[in-house]
Amino acid sequence: MKIGDNLKKLRESKGLTQQEMADLMHTHRTGYSKMENNQQDIPVDKLVFVAKHFGIAVDDIIFFNEKNNVPNEVSMEDTAVLEQLKLINELDAEEKNILLKLIETFVSKKRFKDYLQKNIATL
């Protein structure tokens, strides 16, 4: 699925019109419509702005409502990893939050890099 399709799903999930999204992104409605219909690329700064406005990560827009092949259940057979998870669970709330933000940053970076590599060939 393309980013424009995901942008449309995000807009609809928030109950906004194309005009309201265009206003939010400081762009003309026809330009926004072209972005949503995958006729025009979405500037990265606009993508970042929308993500911040809705309190989500950029990759949440890129992969909106996709499972990304993440299993529903995760089984841990590696005791070293399980021990690390237990130690992380013992951290105070602020330390956990910092660690989770670091992980989210690395995952977002990888997903964005993978997305660009996958779609660079179509340019």
Side-chain angles (χ1 to χ4, degrees):
M1 187 165 288
K2 296 186 177 186
I3 294 180
D5 300 325
N6 293 339
L7 192 61
K8 180 179 181 178
K9 286 182 179 181
L10 176 64
R11 174 182 63 79
E12 289 174 343
S13 76
K14 301 298 182 182
L16 299 174
T17 65
Q18 282 190 342
Q19 183 63 57
E20 290 170 325
M21 280 295 283
D23 292 344
L24 175 73
M25 294 172 69
H26 306 287
T27 191
H28 195 273
R29 192 202 56 78
T30 56
Y32 174 79
S33 178
K34 287 180 181 180
M35 288 181 225
E36 196 174 271
N37 290 305
N38 299 299
Q39 297 170 342
Q40 178 178 318
D41 289 335
I42 303 167
V44 173
D45 63 324
K46 301 287 186 192
L47 202 57
V48 170
F49 179 80
V50 169
K52 284 183 180 180
H53 178 79
F54 290 116
I56 59 177
V58 171
D59 69 318
D60 290 336
I61 298 172
I62 295 171
F63 300 106
F64 192 75
N65 281 342
E66 291 181 17
K67 294 289 184 187
N68 296 322
N69 298 320
V70 176
N72 290 333
E73 287 186 31
V74 177
S75 62
M76 292 290 186
E77 299 203 11
D78 185 3
T79 56
V81 173
L82 186 56
E83 184 61 32
Q84 288 176 335
L85 290 173
K86 287 179 183 177
L87 291 172
I88 290 169
N89 197 39
E90 294 174 6
L91 297 173
D92 66 38
E94 182 180 342
E95 291 170 332
K96 278 186 204 177
N97 193 30
I98 290 169
L99 184 57
L100 291 174
K101 285 183 181 189
L102 281 169
I103 292 169
E104 181 181 336
T105 299
F106 285 112
V107 169
S108 294
K109 180 180 174 184
K110 181 180 181 339
R111 285 182 178 169
F112 192 64
K113 180 180 175 185
D114 291 348
Y115 175 82
L116 288 177
Q117 287 177 343
K118 178 181 173 186
N119 291 294
I120 198 90
T122 61
L123 296 178

